[in-house]
Amino acid sequence: MHHPLRYLFFNAFARPLLLILIGLNVRRRHLLPSRGPALLIANHNSHLDTLMLMLLFSSTTRRRVRPVAAADYFLKNRVLAWFATRIIGILPIDRANIGRTGSDGQRMDPLLVVTEALDREEIVILFPEGTRGEPEHLGKFQSGVAHIVRKRPDVPVTPVFIHGLGKALPRGEALLVPFFCDAFVGEPIYWTGDRTSFMNKVHDCITTLAGEANRPTW
Amino acid sequence: MNWSTLPSTVRWTIAGIFALLVVASIVVRTIQRAKPDANLGELAARVRSWWVMVIVFVIAMVLSRTISLVFFAFVSFLALKEYFSNTPVRLADRRPLFWAYLAIPLQYYWIGIEWYGLFIIFIPVYCFLAIPIRMLVIGQTDGYLRAAAAIHWGLMICVFCLSHAAFLLILRPADDATTLAGPGLVLFLVVLTQLNDVAQYIWGKSLGKHRIVPRVSPGKTWEGFLGGAVTTTALACFLGPVLTPMTIAQSAIAGALIAVVGFFGDINLSALKRDVGIKDSGSLLPGHGGILDRVDSLTYTAPIFFHYVYYLFHWQTFGTTGG
């Protein structure tokens, strides 16, 4: 990653944009992981979600923060690919490989890059809804996160509920309209032993956090 | 205008506000020390936020005229953003909302070029007509009236009303264009509006029994309201002749006006918060809530006090093309 440019991008552009133009209300920032390996999961409504979650960390910790993003979207042209990998530092995931079988007959694991990053003691941001979805609508959480945590059961999973950025910059819109946004951080969740109970726990946590928001949706 | 060109009375008043803050901090510290069990967290946070607000306000007022106007515009922006964030809006309203935000720099630009005629009609007439046009182009008629009304209400309260405090700042007497009447008038308005809130709160807490509007704001009592009004009027009689061209009698009326309309500004936003189901409009100012919670009274006192002094004296005629 290009650290000086990355530092400049986050502190000279993203920070004023998110903190002054949009305005952020963070609850329980101290629950965020201070070191990797750790997973951060959040609901996803806007491109700004990633920037905002990364801004919650200090500049030093942010060096180890890697958001998971779709390769087919962010690597589609060279400029965007440079920006996504060198400045934001995404972990590109090949969505086309989900559920496919590789040439060696094994099921392909598109989330392998995540476990590798965790093994490098990085903090990985994951949006289990998979896509930004309808503005300000909480979609179903995919079980990919369970798949990762099953392999690395010691990794804490910190849930964050984000509200408002989907109004400021929803999917398919280029015009940014300022709204105050909330980020509610929850207690870290650990692997429960099986997929269903883990996903239920994740779902319960996010729903509880979502219940804290009293701002109107659309 | 900067610190050295400010009238000495304005400088002394600013020194007085800081003295008041020091006293408030000492009182909170003393009570905390005497009664460690007393839960003063909220009060302490409130006083700390007052320090920040006063320091930012004073810096914005003394650096330059442009910075003062940008400061007021920024307060309007934060207030409007809080309002839009807490009010139900439709996805289709995003572009009209963007237009509404654009009204802020324009409104304060008219003040900067001293174009009174446009300042006074820009939002009530032109924005009132233009934003629905933007909505019509999008064409979503479900909830049309509600959205158009909500957007305009926010613009009126957060931009139009608050911007009167900024216009107050640039007023110059007709017979003596070199005198800076503005800083003293703004200080008089802001100090009395905020102290009126504090006085009503303290009187209400100590003597309050009879509620005025239990369904809108249960904490507001006749005792608090009247005690605050008397305190504010008395303080106005002292500050008015010092800070502004007003006589004692004119200052007393100004103080009473600020106390009464400030109360309504306060409960006006209380009713809004109750309607949308929130307690505080935000979390920007620890101990206070959001920016709208702090400027609620000012949304009423600024235009009313402005038009009162605008009527009382002859001011420089503000041209139709600025300058």
Side-chain angles (χ1 to χ4, degrees):
Chain A
M1 267 177 280
H2 196 303
H3 287 307
L5 265 186
R6 191 178 201 227
Y7 183 86
L8 203 68
F9 171 78
F10 275 101
N11 288 292
F13 174 75
R15 189 176 292 277
L17 176 82
L18 267 294
L19 267 52
I20 296 173
L21 198 62
I22 293 182
L24 209 53
N25 165 36
V26 188
R27 288 195 196 159
R28 298 174 299 272
R29 192 192 290 255
H30 63 273
L31 290 178
L32 288 171
S34 52
R35 66 167 74 92
L39 262 175
L40 205 70
I41 55 168
N43 57 319
H44 198 21
N45 290 304
S46 165
H47 280 319
L48 296 172
D49 293 341
T50 313
L51 289 191
M52 190 258 252
L53 289 172
M54 293 185 79
L55 273 178
L56 296 179
F57 293 95
S58 69
S59 289
T60 3
T61 315
R62 197 180 308 127
R63 291 176 172 219
R64 311 204 65 81
V65 177
R66 309 289 304 271
V68 166
D72 53 284
Y73 187 96
F74 287 96
L75 304 183
K76 67 184 167 202
N77 68 60
R78 282 171 63 190
V79 180
L80 187 61
W82 175 84
F83 175 76
T85 53
R86 308 280 294 193
I87 302 295
I88 306 292
I90 64 161
L91 289 175
I93 296 243
D94 211 340
R95 284 193 282 199
N97 283 349
I98 295 175
R100 278 222 193 136
T101 314
S103 49
D104 54 356
Q106 292 280 330
R107 247 180 90 149
M108 288 175 96
D109 185 0
L111 293 172
L112 192 65
V113 283
V114 177
T115 22
E116 283 167 1
L118 291 173
D119 293 340
R120 289 193 302 266
E121 302 201 330
E122 291 181 324
I123 299 170
V124 178
I125 298 177
L126 195 71
F127 297 110
E129 283 168 285
T131 157
R132 283 169 291 161
E134 293 300 308
E136 297 301 294
H137 175 80
L138 190 59
K140 188 178 181 302
F141 273 28
Q142 312 289 327
S143 58
V145 53
H147 180 70
I148 298 165
V149 187
R150 190 183 46 162
K151 290 196 207 156
R152 299 285 181 278
D154 295 332
V155 171
V157 181
T158 309
V160 183
F161 179 77
I162 307 172
H163 175 77
L165 287 170
K167 290 178 172 181
L169 190 70
R171 175 194 182 127
E173 288 277 350
L175 180 80
L176 183 116
V177 179
F179 286 98
F180 273 99
C181 294
D182 299 308
F184 302 147
V185 187
E187 298 278 350
I189 309 166
Y190 288 89
W191 177 239
T192 52
D194 75 287
R195 200 173 79 168
T196 316
S197 69
F198 179 78
M199 287 315 291
N200 284 341
K201 203 166 156 189
V202 165
H203 182 259
D204 288 349
C205 279
I206 286 287
T207 319
T208 314
L209 291 172
E212 281 184 40
N214 49 16
R215 296 225 166 96
T217 47
W218 296 110
Chain B
M1 90 203 68
N2 59 49
W3 182 253
S4 55
T5 59
L6 280 179
S8 64
T9 49
V10 171
R11 283 187 269 167
W12 277 112
T13 311
I14 291 174
I17 300 169
F18 278 110
L20 208 62
L21 278 178
V22 171
V23 171
S25 293
I26 292 175
V27 168
V28 171
R29 199 59 67 79
T30 315
I31 301 178
Q32 265 172 338
R33 203 146 304 159
K35 290 188 206 160
D37 320 329
N39 190 8
L40 289 182
E42 164 119 1
L43 190 64
R46 203 175 257 242
V47 173
R48 264 199 304 279
S49 291
W50 271 122
W51 273 102
V52 176
M53 284 187 280
V54 168
I55 289 170
V56 171
F57 176 70
V58 166
I59 290 175
M61 286 304 107
V62 304
L63 281 182
S64 79
R65 178 181 182 273
T66 311
I67 291 178
S68 307
L69 292 181
V70 170
F71 167 77
F72 279 115
F74 189 63
V75 172
S76 276
F77 169 67
L78 289 176
L80 190 64
K81 191 165 60 162
E82 250 173 32
Y83 172 80
F84 285 152
S85 304
N86 288 314
T87 320
V89 287
R90 307 169 302 168
L91 180 57
D93 297 329
R94 286 181 79 253
R95 278 177 167 74
L97 290 179
F98 185 79
W99 278 41
Y101 279 117
L102 286 186
I104 300 173
L106 287 172
Q107 173 75 354
Y108 285 89
Y109 177 68
W110 314 140
I111 301 175
I113 62 168
E114 307 191 355
W115 189 352
Y116 179 78
L118 193 49
F119 156 78
I120 209 71
I121 63 165
F122 175 62
I123 289 173
V125 178
Y126 290 109
C127 291
F128 179 67
L129 300 178
I131 288 174
I133 292 179
R134 189 67 189 89
M135 298 174 67
L136 290 170
V137 172
I138 295 166
Q140 185 167 330
T141 49
D142 280 342
Y144 178 77
L145 172 64
R146 227 175 90 151
I151 294 173
H152 193 65
W153 201 87
L155 268 183
M156 286 298 285
I157 288 287
C158 305
V159 187
F160 184 68
C161 288
L162 284 181
S163 68
H164 283 75
F167 207 96
L168 209 52
L169 189 73
I170 62 158
L171 287 182
R172 283 176 278 122
D175 49 353
D176 178 12
T178 56
T179 303
L180 283 176
L185 288 167
V186 171
L187 207 58
F188 179 86
L189 166 72
V190 173
V191 166
L192 284 186
T193 302
Q194 301 302 343
L195 281 181
N196 181 58
D197 281 1
V198 176
Q200 288 196 2
Y201 175 80
I202 293 176
W203 281 103
K205 277 275 168 191
S206 22
L207 298 177
K209 276 201 181 67
H210 303 88
R211 290 173 172 179
I212 305 185
V213 275
R215 284 169 55 187
V216 182
S217 190
K220 296 276 183 295
T221 58
W222 279 107
E223 291 79 0
F225 173 66
L226 293 173
V230 170
T231 311
T232 304
T233 308
L235 197 65
C237 293
F238 166 71
L239 280 180
V242 175
L243 285 173
T244 75
M246 292 187 291
T247 62
I248 290 190
Q250 289 167 338
S251 304
I253 296 174
L257 268 179
I258 287 175
V260 174
V261 302
F263 170 81
F264 287 115
D266 187 338
I267 61 169
N268 182 39
L269 283 180
S270 301
L272 168 77
K273 285 183 278 181
R274 226 156 245 277
D275 185 17
V276 299
I278 52 171
K279 187 180 161 288
D280 290 332
S281 63
S283 57
L284 212 58
L285 308 166
H288 298 261
I291 197 107
L292 266 178
D293 295 310
R294 198 57 276 144
V295 300
D296 50 4
S297 311
L298 202 60
T299 60
Y300 266 54
T301 60
I304 300 295
F305 177 69
F306 173 85
H307 288 295
Y308 177 65
V309 292
Y310 201 72
Y311 168 78
L312 277 186
F313 303 99
H314 277 289
W315 301 101
Q316 194 84 0
T317 338
F318 297 102
T320 47
T321 53

